Amino acid sequence: MLITAYSKDLAVLFAVVAPDAPEDENTERKGDVAVIRDAKSQKLIGVNFFGPEKILPAAVLTVGHVTLSAESVAKLNAALTEAGFTEQLVADTSPKFVIGHIDTLKDHPDSNHLHVASVDVGQDKPLQIVVGAPNAAAGEKVVVALPGAFMPSGKIIWPGKLRGVPSFGMMCSPRELALPNTPEKRGILLLPADAPVGAAFKPTELDLKY
C-alpha cells in the first residue's frame, strides 16, 4: 500500500505505507529524505521527500493526493537509495474508491445505530464494513473507500474497529466525497442499480441523484 500527497507550501511529498504511531515513531533524515519507522518493530511507516521537484516532473506534483506511476515510484526509490536508506516503496495504482454492493446488513452487537455490512467490492471475498448511515440497506449499490483511500478531507482510510467490530473500509456520503451540490441530509451515496460492482468510482460516468 502506498499513499502519496504533495504540499506545495511545504515543498514536501509525503509517502505513507502504514498508519501513524505518533508515540512510537522515530524519524531518520539524510539530506532531503526522511524515513519514519515504528520505533518497536522498525517497520516502515512513511517517507518524506523534501524538494520533490528535483526528483519528479512538475506535472506529476499536483497539490494534495497524488497517484504515482511505477516509473515515478522507481525515481523515489532511487532517491532513497542515494540518500543511504535500504527501504523501498512499492507502487500501488489500484483504485481506492470503488462501487460496492451491500450483500447483508445486521445490527451491531454493541450499538443501537451502527450496523455491520457484508459488501461485495469485486474482490475474492466480501468486506466487512461497519456503517451508521440511516439509508444503508441490503441490496444497495454504494461507494466504498478501501483501505489506503485518501479522502478529500485529508483523512486516510485504514482497517480498524468500531465499537469492537472490525471494519475494512468505509461507505461514503456525497459530502465525504466532496461531490458538488451535496444535500444536507445524512446518509451514504446510493448508486444506480446497474453500477458495476468492483469498478472504480467515477461520478461523471454515473447518473447520480441525491
Side-chain angles (χ1 to χ4, degrees), residues 108-146:
H108 190 291
D110 189 34
S111 171
N112 59 9
H113 75 280
L114 294 176
H115 294 85
V116 183
S118 177
V119 186
D120 180 4
V121 293
Q123 299 181 357
D124 293 339
K125 59 182 181 179
L127 296 181
Q128 177 171 285
I129 299 177
V130 177
V131 60
N135 62 338
E140 294 287 1
K141 297 280 185 72
V142 296
V143 181
V144 176
L146 300 174

PDB file of all heavy atoms in Angstrom, residues 108-146:
ATOM      1  N   HIS A 108     -25.356  -4.017  14.829  1.00  0.00           N
ATOM      2  CA  HIS A 108     -24.094  -4.052  15.565  1.00  0.00           C
ATOM      3  C   HIS A 108     -24.372  -4.578  16.969  1.00  0.00           C
ATOM      4  O   HIS A 108     -25.365  -4.178  17.595  1.00  0.00           O
ATOM      5  CB  HIS A 108     -23.505  -2.637  15.625  1.00  0.00           C
ATOM      6  CG  HIS A 108     -22.114  -2.556  16.140  1.00  0.00           C
ATOM      7  ND1 HIS A 108     -21.787  -2.813  17.461  1.00  0.00           N
ATOM      8  CD2 HIS A 108     -20.946  -2.237  15.507  1.00  0.00           C
ATOM      9  CE1 HIS A 108     -20.483  -2.644  17.621  1.00  0.00           C
ATOM     10  NE2 HIS A 108     -19.946  -2.306  16.454  1.00  0.00           N
ATOM     11  N   PRO A 109     -23.524  -5.472  17.482  1.00  0.00           N
ATOM     12  CA  PRO A 109     -23.809  -6.056  18.799  1.00  0.00           C
ATOM     13  C   PRO A 109     -23.671  -5.095  19.970  1.00  0.00           C
ATOM     14  O   PRO A 109     -24.156  -5.379  21.066  1.00  0.00           O
ATOM     15  CB  PRO A 109     -22.778  -7.189  18.915  1.00  0.00           C
ATOM     16  CG  PRO A 109     -21.660  -6.768  18.012  1.00  0.00           C
ATOM     17  CD  PRO A 109     -22.321  -6.055  16.876  1.00  0.00           C
ATOM     18  N   ASP A 110     -23.032  -3.935  19.751  1.00  0.00           N
ATOM     19  CA  ASP A 110     -22.806  -3.018  20.875  1.00  0.00           C
ATOM     20  C   ASP A 110     -23.192  -1.589  20.515  1.00  0.00           C
ATOM     21  O   ASP A 110     -22.565  -0.636  20.960  1.00  0.00           O
ATOM     22  CB  ASP A 110     -21.334  -3.085  21.303  1.00  0.00           C
ATOM     23  CG  ASP A 110     -21.056  -2.340  22.606  1.00  0.00           C
ATOM     24  OD1 ASP A 110     -21.950  -2.331  23.480  1.00  0.00           O
ATOM     25  OD2 ASP A 110     -19.966  -1.744  22.739  1.00  0.00           O
ATOM     26  N   SER A 111     -24.196  -1.433  19.667  1.00  0.00           N
ATOM     27  CA  SER A 111     -24.634  -0.091  19.274  1.00  0.00           C
ATOM     28  C   SER A 111     -26.071  -0.162  18.783  1.00  0.00           C
ATOM     29  O   SER A 111     -26.469  -1.139  18.135  1.00  0.00           O
ATOM     30  CB  SER A 111     -23.734   0.467  18.167  1.00  0.00           C
ATOM     31  OG  SER A 111     -24.271   1.668  17.649  1.00  0.00           O
ATOM     32  N   ASN A 112     -26.842   0.887  19.081  1.00  0.00           N
ATOM     33  CA  ASN A 112     -28.230   0.914  18.616  1.00  0.00           C
ATOM     34  C   ASN A 112     -28.401   1.691  17.311  1.00  0.00           C
ATOM     35  O   ASN A 112     -29.519   1.846  16.820  1.00  0.00           O
ATOM     36  CB  ASN A 112     -29.150   1.485  19.693  1.00  0.00           C
ATOM     37  CG  ASN A 112     -28.760   2.899  20.100  1.00  0.00           C
ATOM     38  OD1 ASN A 112     -27.914   3.525  19.464  1.00  0.00           O
ATOM     39  ND2 ASN A 112     -29.377   3.393  21.162  1.00  0.00           N
ATOM     40  N   HIS A 113     -27.293   2.213  16.749  1.00  0.00           N
ATOM     41  CA  HIS A 113     -27.409   2.922  15.476  1.00  0.00           C
ATOM     42  C   HIS A 113     -26.422   2.436  14.411  1.00  0.00           C
ATOM     43  O   HIS A 113     -26.588   2.741  13.234  1.00  0.00           O
ATOM     44  CB  HIS A 113     -27.221   4.430  15.687  1.00  0.00           C
ATOM     45  CG  HIS A 113     -25.803   4.846  15.934  1.00  0.00           C
ATOM     46  ND1 HIS A 113     -25.203   4.714  17.168  1.00  0.00           N
ATOM     47  CD2 HIS A 113     -24.870   5.364  15.096  1.00  0.00           C
ATOM     48  CE1 HIS A 113     -23.946   5.157  17.082  1.00  0.00           C
ATOM     49  NE2 HIS A 113     -23.728   5.552  15.845  1.00  0.00           N
ATOM     50  N   LEU A 114     -25.410   1.662  14.821  1.00  0.00           N
ATOM     51  CA  LEU A 114     -24.462   1.126  13.856  1.00  0.00           C
ATOM     52  C   LEU A 114     -24.947  -0.227  13.332  1.00  0.00           C
ATOM     53  O   LEU A 114     -25.672  -0.956  14.007  1.00  0.00           O
ATOM     54  CB  LEU A 114     -23.083   0.959  14.485  1.00  0.00           C
ATOM     55  CG  LEU A 114     -22.350   2.234  14.910  1.00  0.00           C
ATOM     56  CD1 LEU A 114     -21.046   1.882  15.614  1.00  0.00           C
ATOM     57  CD2 LEU A 114     -22.086   3.145  13.713  1.00  0.00           C
ATOM     58  N   HIS A 115     -24.483  -0.548  12.116  1.00  0.00           N
ATOM     59  CA  HIS A 115     -24.791  -1.843  11.515  1.00  0.00           C
ATOM     60  C   HIS A 115     -23.502  -2.444  10.943  1.00  0.00           C
ATOM     61  O   HIS A 115     -22.543  -1.730  10.652  1.00  0.00           O
ATOM     62  CB  HIS A 115     -25.837  -1.706  10.406  1.00  0.00           C
ATOM     63  CG  HIS A 115     -27.173  -1.265  10.903  1.00  0.00           C
ATOM     64  ND1 HIS A 115     -27.494   0.061  11.085  1.00  0.00           N
ATOM     65  CD2 HIS A 115     -28.270  -1.982  11.288  1.00  0.00           C
ATOM     66  CE1 HIS A 115     -28.737   0.155  11.543  1.00  0.00           C
ATOM     67  NE2 HIS A 115     -29.222  -1.066  11.685  1.00  0.00           N
ATOM     68  N   VAL A 116     -23.528  -3.754  10.794  1.00  0.00           N
ATOM     69  CA  VAL A 116     -22.378  -4.468  10.237  1.00  0.00           C
ATOM     70  C   VAL A 116     -22.791  -5.024   8.878  1.00  0.00           C
ATOM     71  O   VAL A 116     -23.725  -5.826   8.779  1.00  0.00           O
ATOM     72  CB  VAL A 116     -21.923  -5.614  11.163  1.00  0.00           C
ATOM     73  CG1 VAL A 116     -20.682  -6.296  10.580  1.00  0.00           C
ATOM     74  CG2 VAL A 116     -21.626  -5.077  12.563  1.00  0.00           C
ATOM     75  N   ALA A 117     -22.090  -4.570   7.835  1.00  0.00           N
ATOM     76  CA  ALA A 117     -22.447  -4.954   6.472  1.00  0.00           C
ATOM     77  C   ALA A 117     -21.411  -5.882   5.868  1.00  0.00           C
ATOM     78  O   ALA A 117     -20.217  -5.800   6.182  1.00  0.00           O
ATOM     79  CB  ALA A 117     -22.578  -3.704   5.601  1.00  0.00           C
ATOM     80  N   SER A 118     -21.880  -6.761   5.017  1.00  0.00           N
ATOM     81  CA  SER A 118     -21.009  -7.548   4.155  1.00  0.00           C
ATOM     82  C   SER A 118     -21.149  -6.945   2.764  1.00  0.00           C
ATOM     83  O   SER A 118     -22.253  -6.908   2.200  1.00  0.00           O
ATOM     84  CB  SER A 118     -21.440  -9.014   4.155  1.00  0.00           C
ATOM     85  OG  SER A 118     -20.636  -9.768   3.256  1.00  0.00           O
ATOM     86  N   VAL A 119     -20.023  -6.439   2.225  1.00  0.00           N
ATOM     87  CA  VAL A 119     -20.081  -5.654   0.988  1.00  0.00           C
ATOM     88  C   VAL A 119     -19.206  -6.291  -0.088  1.00  0.00           C
ATOM     89  O   VAL A 119     -18.004  -6.494   0.103  1.00  0.00           O
ATOM     90  CB  VAL A 119     -19.616  -4.203   1.237  1.00  0.00           C
ATOM     91  CG1 VAL A 119     -19.817  -3.366  -0.021  1.00  0.00           C
ATOM     92  CG2 VAL A 119     -20.376  -3.592   2.405  1.00  0.00           C
ATOM     93  N   ASP A 120     -19.809  -6.595  -1.217  1.00  0.00           N
ATOM     94  CA  ASP A 120     -19.085  -7.122  -2.377  1.00  0.00           C
ATOM     95  C   ASP A 120     -18.446  -5.955  -3.112  1.00  0.00           C
ATOM     96  O   ASP A 120     -19.139  -5.054  -3.588  1.00  0.00           O
ATOM     97  CB  ASP A 120     -20.068  -7.857  -3.289  1.00  0.00           C
ATOM     98  CG  ASP A 120     -19.396  -8.446  -4.531  1.00  0.00           C
ATOM     99  OD1 ASP A 120     -18.158  -8.356  -4.657  1.00  0.00           O
ATOM    100  OD2 ASP A 120     -20.124  -8.990  -5.383  1.00  0.00           O
ATOM    101  N   VAL A 121     -17.106  -5.952  -3.192  1.00  0.00           N
ATOM    102  CA  VAL A 121     -16.395  -4.889  -3.923  1.00  0.00           C
ATOM    103  C   VAL A 121     -15.600  -5.474  -5.088  1.00  0.00           C
ATOM    104  O   VAL A 121     -14.661  -4.860  -5.589  1.00  0.00           O
ATOM    105  CB  VAL A 121     -15.461  -4.086  -2.986  1.00  0.00           C
ATOM    106  CG1 VAL A 121     -16.257  -3.292  -1.981  1.00  0.00           C
ATOM    107  CG2 VAL A 121     -14.454  -5.004  -2.288  1.00  0.00           C
ATOM    108  N   GLY A 122     -15.974  -6.691  -5.506  1.00  0.00           N
ATOM    109  CA  GLY A 122     -15.303  -7.300  -6.645  1.00  0.00           C
ATOM    110  C   GLY A 122     -14.024  -8.031  -6.304  1.00  0.00           C
ATOM    111  O   GLY A 122     -13.293  -8.442  -7.214  1.00  0.00           O
ATOM    112  N   GLN A 123     -13.743  -8.210  -5.019  1.00  0.00           N
ATOM    113  CA  GLN A 123     -12.556  -8.954  -4.611  1.00  0.00           C
ATOM    114  C   GLN A 123     -12.911 -10.420  -4.387  1.00  0.00           C
ATOM    115  O   GLN A 123     -14.035 -10.843  -4.613  1.00  0.00           O
ATOM    116  CB  GLN A 123     -11.956  -8.324  -3.348  1.00  0.00           C
ATOM    117  CG  GLN A 123     -11.507  -6.883  -3.540  1.00  0.00           C
ATOM    118  CD  GLN A 123     -10.893  -6.283  -2.287  1.00  0.00           C
ATOM    119  OE1 GLN A 123     -10.830  -6.902  -1.234  1.00  0.00           O
ATOM    120  NE2 GLN A 123     -10.441  -5.036  -2.397  1.00  0.00           N
ATOM    121  N   ASP A 124     -11.932 -11.197  -3.932  1.00  0.00           N
ATOM    122  CA  ASP A 124     -12.148 -12.630  -3.739  1.00  0.00           C
ATOM    123  C   ASP A 124     -13.272 -12.918  -2.752  1.00  0.00           C
ATOM    124  O   ASP A 124     -13.989 -13.911  -2.881  1.00  0.00           O
ATOM    125  CB  ASP A 124     -10.855 -13.308  -3.256  1.00  0.00           C
ATOM    126  CG  ASP A 124      -9.768 -13.295  -4.326  1.00  0.00           C
ATOM    127  OD1 ASP A 124     -10.131 -13.149  -5.510  1.00  0.00           O
ATOM    128  OD2 ASP A 124      -8.594 -13.424  -3.984  1.00  0.00           O
ATOM    129  N   LYS A 125     -13.405 -12.071  -1.737  1.00  0.00           N
ATOM    130  CA  LYS A 125     -14.471 -12.245  -0.763  1.00  0.00           C
ATOM    131  C   LYS A 125     -14.992 -10.871  -0.337  1.00  0.00           C
ATOM    132  O   LYS A 125     -14.277  -9.863  -0.457  1.00  0.00           O
ATOM    133  CB  LYS A 125     -13.987 -13.038   0.448  1.00  0.00           C
ATOM    134  CG  LYS A 125     -12.820 -12.424   1.194  1.00  0.00           C
ATOM    135  CD  LYS A 125     -12.395 -13.315   2.355  1.00  0.00           C
ATOM    136  CE  LYS A 125     -11.237 -12.686   3.135  1.00  0.00           C
ATOM    137  NZ  LYS A 125     -10.835 -13.555   4.274  1.00  0.00           N
ATOM    138  N   PRO A 126     -16.228 -10.806   0.154  1.00  0.00           N
ATOM    139  CA  PRO A 126     -16.792  -9.515   0.579  1.00  0.00           C
ATOM    140  C   PRO A 126     -16.015  -8.916   1.749  1.00  0.00           C
ATOM    141  O   PRO A 126     -15.344  -9.628   2.499  1.00  0.00           O
ATOM    142  CB  PRO A 126     -18.216  -9.876   1.001  1.00  0.00           C
ATOM    143  CG  PRO A 126     -18.497 -11.186   0.350  1.00  0.00           C
ATOM    144  CD  PRO A 126     -17.192 -11.906   0.283  1.00  0.00           C
ATOM    145  N   LEU A 127     -16.144  -7.600   1.891  1.00  0.00           N
ATOM    146  CA  LEU A 127     -15.526  -6.902   3.011  1.00  0.00           C
ATOM    147  C   LEU A 127     -16.563  -6.672   4.109  1.00  0.00           C
ATOM    148  O   LEU A 127     -17.737  -6.411   3.824  1.00  0.00           O
ATOM    149  CB  LEU A 127     -14.990  -5.535   2.567  1.00  0.00           C
ATOM    150  CG  LEU A 127     -13.863  -5.510   1.549  1.00  0.00           C
ATOM    151  CD1 LEU A 127     -13.461  -4.058   1.273  1.00  0.00           C
ATOM    152  CD2 LEU A 127     -12.668  -6.309   2.008  1.00  0.00           C
ATOM    153  N   GLN A 128     -16.112  -6.766   5.343  1.00  0.00           N
ATOM    154  CA  GLN A 128     -16.974  -6.385   6.462  1.00  0.00           C
ATOM    155  C   GLN A 128     -16.749  -4.913   6.755  1.00  0.00           C
ATOM    156  O   GLN A 128     -15.619  -4.475   6.969  1.00  0.00           O
ATOM    157  CB  GLN A 128     -16.636  -7.216   7.700  1.00  0.00           C
ATOM    158  CG  GLN A 128     -17.470  -6.813   8.929  1.00  0.00           C
ATOM    159  CD  GLN A 128     -17.298  -7.760  10.082  1.00  0.00           C
ATOM    160  OE1 GLN A 128     -17.828  -8.863  10.066  1.00  0.00           O
ATOM    161  NE2 GLN A 128     -16.536  -7.338  11.103  1.00  0.00           N
ATOM    162  N   ILE A 129     -17.822  -4.139   6.735  1.00  0.00           N
ATOM    163  CA  ILE A 129     -17.736  -2.694   6.956  1.00  0.00           C
ATOM    164  C   ILE A 129     -18.825  -2.286   7.945  1.00  0.00           C
ATOM    165  O   ILE A 129     -20.006  -2.632   7.773  1.00  0.00           O
ATOM    166  CB  ILE A 129     -17.915  -1.907   5.643  1.00  0.00           C
ATOM    167  CG1 ILE A 129     -16.802  -2.274   4.650  1.00  0.00           C
ATOM    168  CG2 ILE A 129     -17.913  -0.406   5.904  1.00  0.00           C
ATOM    169  CD1 ILE A 129     -16.935  -1.607   3.294  1.00  0.00           C
ATOM    170  N   VAL A 130     -18.436  -1.561   8.972  1.00  0.00           N
ATOM    171  CA  VAL A 130     -19.391  -1.022   9.938  1.00  0.00           C
ATOM    172  C   VAL A 130     -19.899   0.322   9.408  1.00  0.00           C
ATOM    173  O   VAL A 130     -19.108   1.174   8.991  1.00  0.00           O
ATOM    174  CB  VAL A 130     -18.740  -0.852  11.321  1.00  0.00           C
ATOM    175  CG1 VAL A 130     -19.727  -0.223  12.305  1.00  0.00           C
ATOM    176  CG2 VAL A 130     -18.258  -2.206  11.853  1.00  0.00           C
ATOM    177  N   VAL A 131     -21.208   0.500   9.436  1.00  0.00           N
ATOM    178  CA  VAL A 131     -21.806   1.708   8.869  1.00  0.00           C
ATOM    179  C   VAL A 131     -22.891   2.227   9.806  1.00  0.00           C
ATOM    180  O   VAL A 131     -23.592   1.456  10.453  1.00  0.00           O
ATOM    181  CB  VAL A 131     -22.393   1.409   7.460  1.00  0.00           C
ATOM    182  CG1 VAL A 131     -23.460   0.333   7.527  1.00  0.00           C
ATOM    183  CG2 VAL A 131     -22.946   2.668   6.807  1.00  0.00           C
ATOM    184  N   GLY A 132     -23.013   3.558   9.861  1.00  0.00           N
ATOM    185  CA  GLY A 132     -24.034   4.172  10.701  1.00  0.00           C
ATOM    186  C   GLY A 132     -25.059   4.955   9.918  1.00  0.00           C
ATOM    187  O   GLY A 132     -25.971   5.540  10.495  1.00  0.00           O
ATOM    188  N   ALA A 133     -24.926   4.983   8.592  1.00  0.00           N
ATOM    189  CA  ALA A 133     -25.842   5.769   7.766  1.00  0.00           C
ATOM    190  C   ALA A 133     -27.259   5.213   7.839  1.00  0.00           C
ATOM    191  O   ALA A 133     -27.461   3.999   7.730  1.00  0.00           O
ATOM    192  CB  ALA A 133     -25.361   5.776   6.321  1.00  0.00           C
ATOM    193  N   PRO A 134     -28.266   6.077   7.996  1.00  0.00           N
ATOM    194  CA  PRO A 134     -29.649   5.600   8.119  1.00  0.00           C
ATOM    195  C   PRO A 134     -30.197   4.988   6.845  1.00  0.00           C
ATOM    196  O   PRO A 134     -31.186   4.242   6.892  1.00  0.00           O
ATOM    197  CB  PRO A 134     -30.414   6.874   8.507  1.00  0.00           C
ATOM    198  CG  PRO A 134     -29.587   7.996   7.990  1.00  0.00           C
ATOM    199  CD  PRO A 134     -28.163   7.543   8.128  1.00  0.00           C
ATOM    200  N   ASN A 135     -29.609   5.286   5.691  1.00  0.00           N
ATOM    201  CA  ASN A 135     -30.136   4.767   4.425  1.00  0.00           C
ATOM    202  C   ASN A 135     -29.384   3.543   3.918  1.00  0.00           C
ATOM    203  O   ASN A 135     -29.633   3.081   2.792  1.00  0.00           O
ATOM    204  CB  ASN A 135     -30.163   5.855   3.358  1.00  0.00           C
ATOM    205  CG  ASN A 135     -28.777   6.400   3.030  1.00  0.00           C
ATOM    206  OD1 ASN A 135     -27.851   6.286   3.835  1.00  0.00           O
ATOM    207  ND2 ASN A 135     -28.632   7.006   1.859  1.00  0.00           N
ATOM    208  N   ALA A 136     -28.445   3.013   4.702  1.00  0.00           N
ATOM    209  CA  ALA A 136     -27.747   1.790   4.299  1.00  0.00           C
ATOM    210  C   ALA A 136     -28.722   0.624   4.355  1.00  0.00           C
ATOM    211  O   ALA A 136     -29.454   0.462   5.333  1.00  0.00           O
ATOM    212  CB  ALA A 136     -26.557   1.535   5.212  1.00  0.00           C
ATOM    213  N   ALA A 137     -28.749  -0.195   3.311  1.00  0.00           N
ATOM    214  CA  ALA A 137     -29.681  -1.312   3.265  1.00  0.00           C
ATOM    215  C   ALA A 137     -29.132  -2.397   2.353  1.00  0.00           C
ATOM    216  O   ALA A 137     -28.425  -2.112   1.377  1.00  0.00           O
ATOM    217  CB  ALA A 137     -31.054  -0.850   2.758  1.00  0.00           C
ATOM    218  N   ALA A 138     -29.453  -3.637   2.655  1.00  0.00           N
ATOM    219  CA  ALA A 138     -29.031  -4.748   1.810  1.00  0.00           C
ATOM    220  C   ALA A 138     -29.605  -4.573   0.409  1.00  0.00           C
ATOM    221  O   ALA A 138     -30.755  -4.154   0.231  1.00  0.00           O
ATOM    222  CB  ALA A 138     -29.504  -6.068   2.415  1.00  0.00           C
ATOM    223  N   GLY A 139     -28.763  -4.853  -0.588  1.00  0.00           N
ATOM    224  CA  GLY A 139     -29.185  -4.724  -1.974  1.00  0.00           C
ATOM    225  C   GLY A 139     -28.789  -3.425  -2.634  1.00  0.00           C
ATOM    226  O   GLY A 139     -28.873  -3.305  -3.865  1.00  0.00           O
ATOM    227  N   GLU A 140     -28.345  -2.441  -1.844  1.00  0.00           N
ATOM    228  CA  GLU A 140     -27.979  -1.141  -2.413  1.00  0.00           C
ATOM    229  C   GLU A 140     -26.553  -1.172  -2.987  1.00  0.00           C
ATOM    230  O   GLU A 140     -25.678  -1.890  -2.496  1.00  0.00           O
ATOM    231  CB  GLU A 140     -28.060  -0.043  -1.361  1.00  0.00           C
ATOM    232  CG  GLU A 140     -29.463   0.243  -0.859  1.00  0.00           C
ATOM    233  CD  GLU A 140     -30.316   0.989  -1.883  1.00  0.00           C
ATOM    234  OE1 GLU A 140     -29.835   1.273  -3.003  1.00  0.00           O
ATOM    235  OE2 GLU A 140     -31.473   1.294  -1.554  1.00  0.00           O
ATOM    236  N   LYS A 141     -26.347  -0.358  -4.025  1.00  0.00           N
ATOM    237  CA  LYS A 141     -25.011  -0.115  -4.569  1.00  0.00           C
ATOM    238  C   LYS A 141     -24.490   1.178  -3.933  1.00  0.00           C
ATOM    239  O   LYS A 141     -25.213   2.179  -3.839  1.00  0.00           O
ATOM    240  CB  LYS A 141     -25.062   0.058  -6.087  1.00  0.00           C
ATOM    241  CG  LYS A 141     -25.554  -1.181  -6.852  1.00  0.00           C
ATOM    242  CD  LYS A 141     -24.481  -2.201  -7.006  1.00  0.00           C
ATOM    243  CE  LYS A 141     -24.935  -3.375  -7.866  1.00  0.00           C
ATOM    244  NZ  LYS A 141     -25.060  -3.051  -9.304  1.00  0.00           N
ATOM    245  N   VAL A 142     -23.215   1.139  -3.496  1.00  0.00           N
ATOM    246  CA  VAL A 142     -22.648   2.261  -2.745  1.00  0.00           C
ATOM    247  C   VAL A 142     -21.209   2.508  -3.181  1.00  0.00           C
ATOM    248  O   VAL A 142     -20.607   1.699  -3.890  1.00  0.00           O
ATOM    249  CB  VAL A 142     -22.673   1.961  -1.225  1.00  0.00           C
ATOM    250  CG1 VAL A 142     -24.105   1.825  -0.723  1.00  0.00           C
ATOM    251  CG2 VAL A 142     -21.879   0.693  -0.905  1.00  0.00           C
ATOM    252  N   VAL A 143     -20.676   3.639  -2.733  1.00  0.00           N
ATOM    253  CA  VAL A 143     -19.261   3.935  -2.945  1.00  0.00           C
ATOM    254  C   VAL A 143     -18.485   3.492  -1.710  1.00  0.00           C
ATOM    255  O   VAL A 143     -18.813   3.902  -0.592  1.00  0.00           O
ATOM    256  CB  VAL A 143     -19.021   5.441  -3.192  1.00  0.00           C
ATOM    257  CG1 VAL A 143     -17.531   5.703  -3.431  1.00  0.00           C
ATOM    258  CG2 VAL A 143     -19.837   5.926  -4.379  1.00  0.00           C
ATOM    259  N   VAL A 144     -17.478   2.672  -1.915  1.00  0.00           N
ATOM    260  CA  VAL A 144     -16.661   2.182  -0.811  1.00  0.00           C
ATOM    261  C   VAL A 144     -15.246   2.753  -0.920  1.00  0.00           C
ATOM    262  O   VAL A 144     -14.604   2.644  -1.968  1.00  0.00           O
ATOM    263  CB  VAL A 144     -16.591   0.637  -0.813  1.00  0.00           C
ATOM    264  CG1 VAL A 144     -15.655   0.143   0.289  1.00  0.00           C
ATOM    265  CG2 VAL A 144     -17.980   0.048  -0.628  1.00  0.00           C
ATOM    266  N   ALA A 145     -14.798   3.382   0.163  1.00  0.00           N
ATOM    267  CA  ALA A 145     -13.402   3.809   0.267  1.00  0.00           C
ATOM    268  C   ALA A 145     -12.630   2.650   0.886  1.00  0.00           C
ATOM    269  O   ALA A 145     -12.861   2.285   2.043  1.00  0.00           O
ATOM    270  CB  ALA A 145     -13.284   5.063   1.136  1.00  0.00           C
ATOM    271  N   LEU A 146     -11.749   2.052   0.125  1.00  0.00           N
ATOM    272  CA  LEU A 146     -10.981   0.907   0.589  1.00  0.00           C
ATOM    273  C   LEU A 146      -9.810   1.365   1.464  1.00  0.00           C
ATOM    274  O   LEU A 146      -9.425   2.542   1.438  1.00  0.00           O
ATOM    275  CB  LEU A 146     -10.437   0.129  -0.610  1.00  0.00           C
ATOM    276  CG  LEU A 146     -11.472  -0.438  -1.581  1.00  0.00           C
ATOM    277  CD1 LEU A 146     -10.774  -1.053  -2.785  1.00  0.00           C
ATOM    278  CD2 LEU A 146     -12.350  -1.465  -0.889  1.00  0.00           C
TER     279      LEU A 146
END
